[in-house]
Amino acid sequence: MLRPSVVARTAFTYAALSRLARGQSRRGPLTVPAWADGAEPIAGEALPRITVVVPARDEAERITSVLAPLVDAPGVVEVLVVDDRSTDATAEVALAAGARVIDGGELPRGWVGKPWALQQGLVAAKGDIVVFLDADVTPDPRLPAAVAGLLDDADLASAQLAFSIPDEAQRVLHPALLATLIYRLGPLDSTMRIPASVAAINGQCFAVRRRALIGAGGFGLIAGIPTDDIALARSLAAAGWRIAVADGSALGSVRMYESAGEALREWAGRSLALPGAAPRPRQLFDLGVVWTVQGLPGLRVWRGLVRGLLRGSVRDGFAVLRPYDVGMLALRWSLQLALLRVYRRSARPAGPAGPAGQDGATNGGDAPDWLSLLAPFADPVAAAALTRGTFAPVRVWRGREI
């Protein structure tokens, strides 16, 4: 009779492998429409009218980098900043950068801050298509047109961006945290049919047709859920919406956190466990998946390193690794190699970004961040952080309870 631990490990491993297998069929990288690249529009071609909505709360120091490339971007009729009751000069900086600014209203009962800001931007937008970008994104001017182009064959479109990581510790930790999402969600840009209950988008960059989303209920669908992007994708997918996600790392980068400590506190502590977007049994099952295929093999690597140092023999130290561990570690490093495309060495500049290809500011640079290949050594930390976020999530963001 099989031991319960063997049955559990088999179930968790099968779940992880079946999710990763969705990567066998993936959408190609985000492409820029010819008209957005300077070509003459085809006769009779209806060009989109795009509003870019940027929700912002106390973002005065970095909001220029997302706004400056977009003011005269192809297809963009306005850049709209929803000033979510900032205590700094966010509104003044945004106005100076050429954006239209609306003052966010007081948070209604039952709403979380970001969905409320997104809802206000959706209602106020003048464009037919709304592209939502986070304030920590540095876009290529052609990014809105490119992600809007996905709506030709989808109802909700999203782009995965490159990561610009400013400090060495986070360059190792951040990819380990991201890997916990991939083991739980699979590749977001898969073209395989997946259940609505596991649908997902990247909330840093997504696009919808304005009237369609308002008609579906807008962000009121996920008003009280902190992980708004995942919850929105699952709610709309359940209603029959087609979702498309593509690799947009050549057209934009995002600088999420300034330090590893901030990533652990803000990402792992607040939203990485997908509170509200995933039911509790699913959260707990996925936690088992992460520990089985990622956290425990990483712990055994640590144990082997310590044992090898104490005994003076690397070979003797790593004798503690089981064949299963070796297989999972090989899989893990293969995943990290695939993620090199989204981890770039250059950091986002403090000032406005120039066009892509001039200084690398908008696409995160061309050189892969090879330091990210050390991320599997941080896997036990990532699994522990996910555990803490599952059982004791942070419920405060920038001084406001969520």
Side-chain angles (χ1 to χ4, degrees):
M1 184 176 179
L2 291 176
R3 291 177 297 173
S5 60
V6 174
V7 173
R9 187 178 71 179
T10 301
F12 293 144
T13 304
Y14 176 80
L17 294 178
S18 63
R19 294 164 187 175
L20 293 177
R22 296 175 193 151
Q24 294 176 355
S25 176
R26 301 174 68 180
R27 187 169 283 101
L30 202 60
T31 57
V32 177
W35 59 265
D37 232 353
E40 286 293 326
I42 300 173
E45 181 180 13
L47 301 184
R49 299 178 69 257
I50 301 170
T51 290
V52 176
V53 170
V54 180
R57 181 177 174 86
D58 296 337
E59 298 284 4
E61 292 186 3
R62 60 182 179 179
I63 198 169
T64 302
S65 290
V66 65
L67 301 179
L70 299 177
V71 174
D72 296 313
V76 174
V77 297
E78 65 171 344
V79 180
L80 176 60
V81 172
V82 181
D83 182 21
D84 188 17
R85 306 178 77 80
S86 297
T87 60
D88 64 5
T90 294
E92 291 81 357
V93 174
L95 284 169
R100 178 164 73 99
V101 178
I102 62 172
D103 294 327
E106 185 175 350
L107 191 66
R109 185 177 181 84
W111 283 77
V112 175
K114 187 175 180 182
W116 175 233
L118 295 173
Q119 175 68 13
Q120 294 173 89
L122 175 69
V123 171
K126 297 177 181 177
D128 303 317
I129 292 175
V130 184
V131 173
F132 297 92
L133 293 179
D134 280 358
D136 52 9
V137 170
T138 298
D140 183 295
R142 303 166 299 171
L143 176 62
V147 70
L150 291 175
L151 294 175
D152 291 343
D153 301 305
D155 306 302
L156 174 63
S158 179
Q160 297 174 295
L161 305 178
F163 293 104
S164 176
I165 309 296
D167 70 308
E168 281 70 16
Q170 191 185 172
R171 287 165 62 191
V172 175
L173 176 65
H174 190 284
L177 294 172
L178 181 64
T180 72
L181 275 176
I182 298 174
Y183 280 124
R184 287 176 287 154
L185 301 177
L188 297 190
D189 57 356
S190 172
T191 59
M192 297 179 65
R193 185 177 180 85
I194 61 173
S197 60
V198 293
I201 60 170
N202 175 24
Q204 298 158 344
C205 176
F206 66 101
V208 293
R209 293 180 181 85
R210 178 178 177 274
R211 289 184 179 179
L213 184 55
I214 290 177
F219 292 94
L221 294 169
I222 44 96
I225 302 178
T227 47
D228 51 275
D229 49 356
I230 306 297
L232 181 69
R234 294 177 179 180
S235 178
L236 293 175
W241 280 44
R242 299 165 300 164
I243 296 175
V245 182
D247 174 15
S249 58
L251 292 171
S253 64
V254 57
R255 180 165 170 165
M256 294 174 63
Y257 305 106
E258 295 301 314
S259 67
E262 187 179 354
L264 285 172
R265 182 176 63 254
E266 296 292 338
W267 191 16
R270 180 167 50 86
S271 60
L272 192 65
L274 309 182
R280 194 62 166 177
R282 176 70 184 228
Q283 281 186 302
L284 296 178
F285 180 85
D286 283 351
L287 190 60
V289 170
V290 168
W291 271 111
T292 300
V293 304
Q294 188 178 358
L296 291 178
L299 277 177
R300 294 188 186 105
V301 168
W302 285 9
R303 179 185 172 190
L305 288 171
V306 173
R307 180 176 174 176
L309 288 172
L310 292 176
R311 298 194 176 189
S313 170
V314 174
R315 180 177 179 180
D316 189 40
F318 282 96
V320 298
L321 291 180
R322 308 168 186 171
Y324 177 84
D325 297 325
V326 175
M328 289 301 100
L329 289 168
L331 177 68
R332 177 68 182 88
W333 257 290
S334 297
L335 174 60
Q336 201 56 52
L337 278 169
L339 288 175
L340 269 178
R341 64 186 173 84
V342 298
Y343 283 97
R344 310 291 174 79
R345 290 185 58 184
S346 61
R348 191 179 73 175
Q358 289 186 4
D359 59 9
T362 58
N363 63 11
D366 294 326
D369 184 3
W370 296 101
L371 188 63
S372 68
L373 291 180
L374 296 180
F377 290 105
D379 282 349
V381 177
L386 180 64
T387 303
R388 181 179 182 276
T390 300
F391 292 103
V394 174
R395 302 191 183 277
V396 176
W397 182 74
R398 297 199 173 176
R400 182 168 65 189
E401 188 173 352
I402 59 173

